[in-house]
Amino acid sequence: MKKTKFKSSFKKKNEGFKVLYWGGFHPQHGVESIIHAAKILEKYNSKISFNLIGKGHCWQESVNLSKKLGIRNITFTGYLPDENLRDEIILSDIVLGFLGTSKRANRSIGNKVFEALAYGKPVITEKSHAIRRFFTHEKELYMVTPGDPEELAKAIIELYENPDLRDKIALCGYERLKKDFSEGQIAEKLLKIIGTR
């Protein structure tokens, strides 16, 4: 039987190559690294663009840094209603998780990682203790050193140039989510912990 190539259940309809971040612009998200990576990639390929959605603690600082660096491949969208955020996730090629260097980031996975996996999207996130406990690099997720924009830029380039790797990570991440992180699986684990099963 011929093996079919995995495609996200949600079809992309945009041109170019979109890298997506959404969140509250907290320090643990590592938005500064995203901005510096965008500057690196601006010289590499004009098709790669970044959409940063949301507002919060470091939003204005991030906007100011982008202006200071003269970056043209970043859009700061601000808050979006859930249905519009959903559309942006669908149109993205890569989703970014946590990339900061804080202790909190090292202990966390982040809802956005699970949400992106549910949409069948390849995710780049940091090599944190929490992430490495449950996921494997270049299998379910692509992992980078936190606070390293050059490594982040190289990761984006690798996934841009290798659609088969993107599809593999998207498929394995989606399957891992269904297997171990669905509502039913989490409920089952909680019931075991509290001793009712």
Side-chain angles (χ1 to χ4, degrees), residues 9-159:
S9 300
F10 306 94
K11 295 181 180 179
K12 256 174 80 345
K13 297 178 182 178
N14 67 321
E15 296 295 327
F17 191 87
K18 185 178 289 187
V19 181
L20 179 65
Y21 158 88
W22 74 89
F25 285 76
H26 300 297
Q28 68 264 26
H29 292 180
V31 176
E32 183 177 346
S33 291
I34 297 171
I35 293 168
H36 283 288
K39 183 64 177 178
I40 294 168
L41 290 168
E42 192 175 50
K43 300 172 184 177
Y44 165 74
N45 192 316
S46 61
K47 290 184 178 180
I48 300 175
S49 64
F50 291 73
N51 192 6
L52 278 57
I53 297 173
K55 272 195 175 181
H57 182 69
C58 298
W59 181 84
Q60 190 60 59
E61 182 182 315
S62 300
V63 172
N64 291 345
L65 176 60
S66 179
K67 287 179 179 177
K68 180 181 176 181
L69 295 173
I71 301 175
R72 299 182 302 276
N73 60 349
I74 286 184
T75 301
F76 290 90
T77 307
Y79 285 117
L80 290 179
D82 288 343
E83 60 270 23
N84 297 113
L85 174 59
R86 175 185 179 274
D87 292 340
E88 292 300 325
I89 297 170
I90 291 168
L91 292 172
S92 68
D93 293 279
I94 293 173
V95 171
L96 302 177
F98 281 8
L99 298 159
T101 57
S102 69
K103 290 181 180 178
R104 182 177 177 185
N106 190 50
R107 296 192 304 265
S108 306
I109 293 178
N111 288 337
K112 65 170 70 41
V113 171
F114 293 112
E115 291 166 359
L117 294 179
Y119 278 89
K121 296 295 179 177
V123 179
I124 299 175
T125 195
E126 67 178 47
K127 299 172 188 170
S128 69
H129 174 74
I131 286 288
R132 287 184 289 185
R133 183 177 175 190
F134 298 105
F135 298 99
T136 303
H137 174 55
E138 291 192 353
K139 185 178 179 185
E140 302 100 354
L141 296 171
Y142 196 108
M143 301 179 199
V144 295
T145 303
D148 190 333
E150 290 189 3
E151 188 172 331
L152 175 58
K154 288 177 183 176
I156 292 168
I157 290 170
E158 182 172 1
L159 292 181

